[in-house]
Amino acid sequence: MASSGVNVLRYSALIAGVSYGLYHQSEIYARNRQARIDREYAQREALITQAKAEFKKKNMPPESVTRGGQVISDPSDPRFDLEGYLTALMGEQAKGA
């Protein structure tokens, strides 16, 4: 039969092991929970960024300037901008006068 000192040591080791196991399991759970929250946040942030880009692309006014920097002066062109055309025309007249 084991002495009482050995039994105290056994049960102390058992309680310490169970306590460490519970603590370690809670740390793992907290780390996984935080990683899940971070992933969800990153996913939402990506969706918001994508939605902002789509909104900007959808609601952006058409380009009134060609790639060469010339203002579109054809009124039947769907990209024609009267304000941009008049501003460019005023700028040309100011340079010429």
Side-chain angles (χ1 to χ4, degrees):
M1 177 152 197
S3 68
S4 63
V6 173
N7 281 338
V8 169
L9 185 62
R10 283 182 185 169
Y11 285 111
S12 296
L14 177 64
I15 291 172
V18 169
S19 299
Y20 174 74
L22 289 174
Y23 171 76
H24 189 65
Q25 183 66 29
S26 69
E27 288 292 317
I28 291 172
Y29 177 72
R31 196 176 324 133
N32 287 342
R33 184 179 54 199
Q34 186 62 40
R36 181 174 40 98
I37 290 171
D38 290 342
R39 278 193 311 271
E40 289 175 0
Y41 182 80
Q43 182 182 11
R44 286 182 183 168
E45 188 176 19
L47 286 174
I48 289 171
T49 304
Q50 181 184 4
K52 284 182 179 180
E54 290 294 325
F55 180 81
K56 186 176 180 182
K57 186 168 67 171
K58 179 182 174 187
N59 295 329
M60 190 172 201
E63 289 291 327
S64 62
V65 178
T66 62
R67 289 182 188 241
Q70 298 294 325
V71 175
I72 297 173
S73 59
D74 182 16
S76 62
D77 191 336
R79 299 178 298 162
F80 177 70
D81 181 20
L82 181 62
E83 182 181 356
Y85 175 69
L86 292 177
T87 304
L89 190 62
M90 292 295 232
E92 288 175 9
Q93 286 180 355
K95 287 180 185 177

